[in-house]
Amino acid sequence: MKKIAFITGATSGFGKAAAHRFAQEGWSLVLSGRRIKRLLDLKETLSVPVHVMQLDVRDADAVKQAVDSLPDEFSAVTALVNNAGLALAPQGAPEVELSDWHTMIDTNVTGLVNVTHALLPTLIKTGAGATIINVGSIAGQWPYPGSHVYGASKAFVKQFSYNLRCDLQGTGVRVTDLSPGIAETEFTLVRTKGDQSASDNLYQGTTPLSAEDIAEQMFYIASLPDHININRVEVMPTRQAWSPFAIDRD
C-alpha cells in the first residue's frame, strides 16, 4: 500500500531533510510551507509523487481547506510530521516584544493544533501504522535563560502528544514527541532575525545535530511495526549535556 507523509515546514531544516529521507524510501509527499518557491524547488529534486501547498499553519480555515482539497492520490495520509515551528527573541523575558511571544504561540501551539485537528479523521481512517510526529525540543523539558515562551510552547507539544495518545487508543494511530537538542539549521538565523554571526558562534567549535540526523529519527518512528509506539524521543548531540543550577549570589 502506498504510504504518504504530510510534512509541515518543509521549506528548510528538519522538514526539508525529512522530505528527502521519506522520498528515498518511496513515500509520496505532501509538503507545506509559507515559501512556495522553496517548495517547488524541493519538489524538482524528488523522484516520488509530491503535492506542494503554500500554507500558513496559523490560519485554521486555510489549513482545513488545504486538507479537504488534497488530490485523491495524496488524501490517504499515513504519517503527519508536525514540523512547522520557530523560536524568536533569545533575550531575557523582560526585553522581549509581546508580538514575538504571540508569534511563537500561534505557530508552535495553534498551528500544530490546526494541522493535527484537520488530519485526525484521515489518520484514524488509515488506522494501524498511521503516525503523528510532533517536533518538540529539549527546551520543552529543560529550561534555560531566553527560552521563555519557546520552551513553554514545546512543553505544550510534549503534553499534547501524550494526551493524544490517550484519546487515540484503539484507533491504531501512533503519536510521538520528537525533541531535538542543538541542531545546525536556519533555527538561530530565524531566532535572531538574520544575525549570521550569532548563528555561527552557536555552532562553532562543537558538533551539533544535523537536519538529516533528525529526519532519520522521523523516518524510523514512522516505519516501525504497527504495534510499536515511541512516546517521546529526546535527541542531543554527544557534546551537549545539562549544566548545574544557576545560583544568584551577593
Side-chain angles (χ1 to χ4, degrees), residues 6-224:
F6 189 117
I7 304 171
T8 66
T11 56
S12 65
F14 300 155
K16 181 178 179 180
H20 283 288
R21 185 65 186 92
F22 280 83
Q24 287 174 12
E25 304 298 329
W27 287 51
S28 297
L29 301 171
V30 178
L31 306 178
S32 77
R34 289 185 295 169
R35 294 171 287 189
I36 188 63
K37 185 179 186 304
R38 285 197 178 194
L39 291 174
L40 293 172
D41 289 346
L42 175 58
K43 180 179 179 179
E44 290 300 312
T45 69
L46 302 170
S47 58
V48 296
V50 178
H51 176 68
V52 301
M53 57 176 70
Q54 186 173 26
L55 184 64
D56 185 341
V57 296
R58 299 174 295 182
D59 186 335
D61 291 337
V63 169
K64 187 176 188 308
Q65 182 178 0
V67 170
D68 290 346
S69 62
L70 283 173
D72 289 344
E73 61 269 33
F74 293 97
S75 61
V77 174
T78 313
L80 166 60
V81 181
N82 271 320
N83 170 71
L86 79 168
L88 295 172
Q91 303 90 350
E95 305 167 40
V96 176
E97 296 290 335
L98 180 59
S99 60
D100 285 339
W101 279 6
H102 284 170
T103 298
M104 287 186 280
I105 293 168
D106 291 344
T107 307
N108 300 351
V109 176
T110 305
L112 180 143
V113 166
N114 289 341
V115 178
T116 303
H117 190 269
L119 275 169
L120 269 181
T122 298
L123 293 162
I124 290 170
K125 184 177 179 180
T126 298
T131 309
I132 299 171
I133 300 171
N134 294 325
V135 178
S137 168
I138 62 169
Q141 179 78 11
W142 310 106
Y144 62 87
S147 184
H148 38 77
V149 165
Y150 174 69
S153 72
K154 293 304 184 177
F156 172 89
V157 172
K158 178 180 69 172
Q159 194 62 37
F160 182 59
S161 301
Y162 290 169
N163 292 346
L164 272 179
R165 283 274 288 125
C166 296
D167 291 341
L168 293 175
Q169 178 144 10
T171 66
V173 181
R174 308 177 293 190
V175 187
T176 300
D177 167 31
L178 174 57
S179 296
I182 185 173
E184 188 168 5
T185 64
E186 292 182 3
F187 177 88
T188 302
L189 278 177
V190 173
R191 190 172 204 180
T192 60
K193 299 183 178 179
D195 187 341
Q196 184 65 56
S197 63
S199 180
D200 293 342
N201 290 338
L202 179 64
Y203 307 117
Q204 184 177 11
T206 191
T207 310
L209 299 171
S210 68
E212 290 72 23
D213 293 332
I214 299 306
E216 189 65 37
Q217 298 300 314
M218 292 172 175
F219 179 75
Y220 173 73
I221 291 164
S223 60
L224 285 167

